[in-house]
Amino acid sequence: MSADNPIQVDTGLSTSVHRLGREKLAERTIGTVVQLTPDTETVAAAFRAAGLRFSRKAEAVKREAARTVRAEAKSFDFSVFEDCAELQEQARLSLQEAVAAFLKLLAQAEDERFQIEQITQNTTVEQRLGDPAFRARREAAAVILHQVWHGGHWIAGAWEAFAEVFDDYRKTYPAPSPTVASNDTLPARQELIVRKIVSLDAWKSAGR
């Protein structure tokens, strides 16, 4: 990156993620994650502006998440669910921690992008290139944006794999009983609330 190419520097700083309303961040759903996940080109541009190299592909992250879900599903006893709706609800609950972490990181990435843009508007290219603190901050902002990108695609990949699990469940249990669970099955259902179908460690440790 050279001092006579200010456009490249500014572009990387201003194309991270769109500024979000607080009401959108409050929607802690998988659909919100999919909608707000930054695209690969945006993350790559931020990395280039920070002097970093970015080479991962979104599909690779999704496949990683899907493998995690399928591995967990192989050893899971799905007979404890009363119907597919209950299974789907439990699947959503298993991803809520990841969704909350994604939205928190997204807010941090957006706030940092805004602060960097303010600095960019009030300094020259030479000043920014000669400021080690600014360069470090821009690099940190790119890393946070990458974590958002990785987390969003991981959640999307996990949910796509869950769709396969739902289909398999419907085939295995085509006519679920509408009766209320007996006292004998209640402990097993309570245990499900604690047990995670999806391991969240896979993407939490990304970038460390």
Side-chain angles (χ1 to χ4, degrees), residues 92-163:
R92 291 188 182 91
L93 288 174
S94 73
L95 290 174
Q96 277 306 297
E97 185 179 344
V99 170
F102 169 89
L103 294 175
K104 181 178 180 180
L105 280 172
L106 181 62
Q108 292 177 1
E110 173 56 24
D111 288 341
E112 191 63 19
R113 180 201 65 81
F114 180 76
Q115 294 298 325
I116 289 178
E117 282 190 344
Q118 295 302 302
I119 295 173
T120 301
Q121 293 172 7
N122 292 283
T123 58
T124 65
V125 174
E126 290 75 13
Q127 287 175 320
R128 295 193 296 275
L129 292 177
D131 184 357
F134 177 79
R135 294 200 304 271
R137 184 171 187 175
R138 184 169 55 187
E139 180 177 335
V143 171
I144 293 175
L145 184 62
H146 173 265
Q147 291 174 338
V148 173
W149 173 87
H150 187 281
H153 286 296
W154 201 96
I155 292 170
W159 191 245
E160 289 174 3
F162 267 127

Side-chain angles (χ1 to χ4, degrees), residues 163-189:
E164 299 174 6
V165 173
F166 302 152
D167 288 340
D168 290 341
Y169 180 90
R170 294 187 186 97
K171 294 176 183 177
T172 305
Y173 306 98
S177 173
T179 58
V180 179
S182 66
N183 291 333
D184 292 338
T185 61
L186 185 57
R189 293 181 183 280

